[in-house]
């Protein structure tokens, strides 16, 4: 309790000191490019706001969605809903997403972040430049029927060039295409394990062992098959190649 009182007192004191010194909450300052940009305080506020939206951007605008869905389907196909655990799957999906998105992130750094940190461009120019590599990646993975559907729902007749596609249309189109692609890869991944289940079930029925669960017997065979074909390397390579890396 004493710690909270001291902390509140320090915060109030710092706020009063800032008010007395005349620190503005919102102001425009000049930059090296001859334009104007927001003060440091408002830039920190915008940065903290952007960090809260970062998980949504990772899910909506990167390769993470496709990868995590395929990994979840694989876990169900093997027959171990809790193995690997969620933390392992999410970590694997994140690092594979970093690998896939590395060229895009490099372009964002070279064209937007680095010039902005050097002061050669303003915040608005940096934001527009950062969108271009992300838009190019999403457009390369988006199906035209999905894009046309959301454009029609938005009331647009069409777009002359890809640069005319707004982010409000591109993001849901990209996510829809990613879901379709993920389920296609998941279906192909599921088939070999389903065949093992059918074979084991048929053998047990022919032997009259109806009380023995086919899933219990087929699980070691599915794990053995997955290990023998080097399944993790094969799946990771297939997922990375599906983005044309």
């Amino acid at each position: 309790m004493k710690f909270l009182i001291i902390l509140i007192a320090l915060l109030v004191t710092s706020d009063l000191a800032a008010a007395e010194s005349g620190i503005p909450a919102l102001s425009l300052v000049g930059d090296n490019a001859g334009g104007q940009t927001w003060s440091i305080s408002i830039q920190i506020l915008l940065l903290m706001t952007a960090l809260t939206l970062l998980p949504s951007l990772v899910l909506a605008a990167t390769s993470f969605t496709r990868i995590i869905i395929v990994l979840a389907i694989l876990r169900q196909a093997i027959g171990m809903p809790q193995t690997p655990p969620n933390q392992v799957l999410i970590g694997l999906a994140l690092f594979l997403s970093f690998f896939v998105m590395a060229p895009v992130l490099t372009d964002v750094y070279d064209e937007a972040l680095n010039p902005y940190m050097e002061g050669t461009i303003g915040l608005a120019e940096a934001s527009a430049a950062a969108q271009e590599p992300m838009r190019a990646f999403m457009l390369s993975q988006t199906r035209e029927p999905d894009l046309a559907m959301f454009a029609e729902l938005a009331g647009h007749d069409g777009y002359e060039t890809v640069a005319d596609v707004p982010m409000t249309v591109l993001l849901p189109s990209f996510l829809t295409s990613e879901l379709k692609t993920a389920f296609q890869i998941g279906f192909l991944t599921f088939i070999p394990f389903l065949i093992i289940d059918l074979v084991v079930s048929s053998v047990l029925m022919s032997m009259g062992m109806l009380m023995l669960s086919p899933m219990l017997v087929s699980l070691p065979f599915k794990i053995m098959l997955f290990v023998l074909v080097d399944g993790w390397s094969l799946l990771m390579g297939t997922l990375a190649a599906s983005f044309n890396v």
Side-chain angles (χ1 to χ4, degrees):
M1 189 66 181
K2 292 182 179 179
F3 175 77
L4 292 177
I5 295 175
I6 295 174
L7 180 60
I8 294 173
L10 289 175
L11 291 175
V12 172
T13 304
S14 61
D15 290 340
L16 291 175
E20 292 176 357
S21 61
I23 298 177
L26 179 63
S27 62
L28 287 172
V29 296
D31 56 14
N32 297 332
Q36 288 184 330
T37 184
W38 297 109
S39 62
I40 297 299
S41 58
I42 192 63
Q43 290 183 23
I44 294 176
L45 177 62
L46 293 175
L47 178 61
M48 296 301 296
T49 304
L51 289 177
T52 60
L53 299 176
L54 185 60
S56 299
L57 291 176
V58 170
L59 290 175
T62 67
S63 58
F64 180 82
T65 300
R66 182 189 305 185
I67 296 171
I68 193 62
I69 290 177
V70 172
L71 293 178
I73 293 177
L74 170 68
R75 188 170 62 176
Q76 293 292 330
I78 295 178
M80 297 184 297
Q82 302 298 327
T83 305
N86 292 331
Q87 293 86 345
V88 175
L89 286 189
I90 293 174
L92 183 59
L94 279 175
F95 283 109
L96 188 58
S97 298
F98 287 146
F99 170 78
V100 172
M101 300 296 296
V104 179
L105 297 177
T106 301
D107 292 339
V108 171
Y109 177 81
D110 294 337
E111 299 176 10
L113 183 60
N114 191 35
Y116 175 72
M117 294 176 62
E118 293 178 351
T120 57
I121 61 175
L123 182 60
E125 293 83 358
S127 177
Q131 287 187 18
E132 294 305 319
M134 298 298 300
R135 286 174 57 88
F137 170 78
M138 289 188 287
L139 285 169
S140 67
Q141 305 299 325
T142 303
R143 291 181 170 85
E144 292 185 4
D146 297 330
L147 190 60
M149 178 188 68
F150 282 99
E152 182 179 357
L153 291 175
H156 301 160
D157 295 333
Y159 307 102
E160 295 182 359
T161 61
V162 294
D164 299 330
V165 181
M167 292 295 291
T168 54
V169 173
L170 180 57
L171 279 174
S173 304
F174 171 74
L175 278 176
T176 304
S177 299
E178 285 295 283
L179 288 174
K180 183 176 181 179
T181 304
F183 275 86
Q184 288 177 342
I185 300 176
F187 170 77
L188 296 177
T189 305
F190 209 106
I191 292 300
F193 301 104
L194 179 60
I195 294 176
I196 294 178
D197 286 333
L198 292 176
V199 171
V200 171
S201 179
S202 299
V203 171
L204 292 178
M205 290 184 64
S206 64
M207 296 175 61
M209 304 175 66
L210 302 179
M211 300 301 295
L212 184 60
S213 173
M215 295 293 296
L216 182 63
V217 178
S218 63
L219 180 59
F221 292 99
K222 290 189 287 187
I223 295 176
M224 181 181 65
L225 173 66
F226 193 68
V227 172
L228 289 178
V229 300
D230 199 8
W232 287 112
S233 298
L234 183 62
L235 184 63
M236 296 298 102
T238 302
L239 284 173
S242 67
F243 293 96
N244 299 321
V245 177

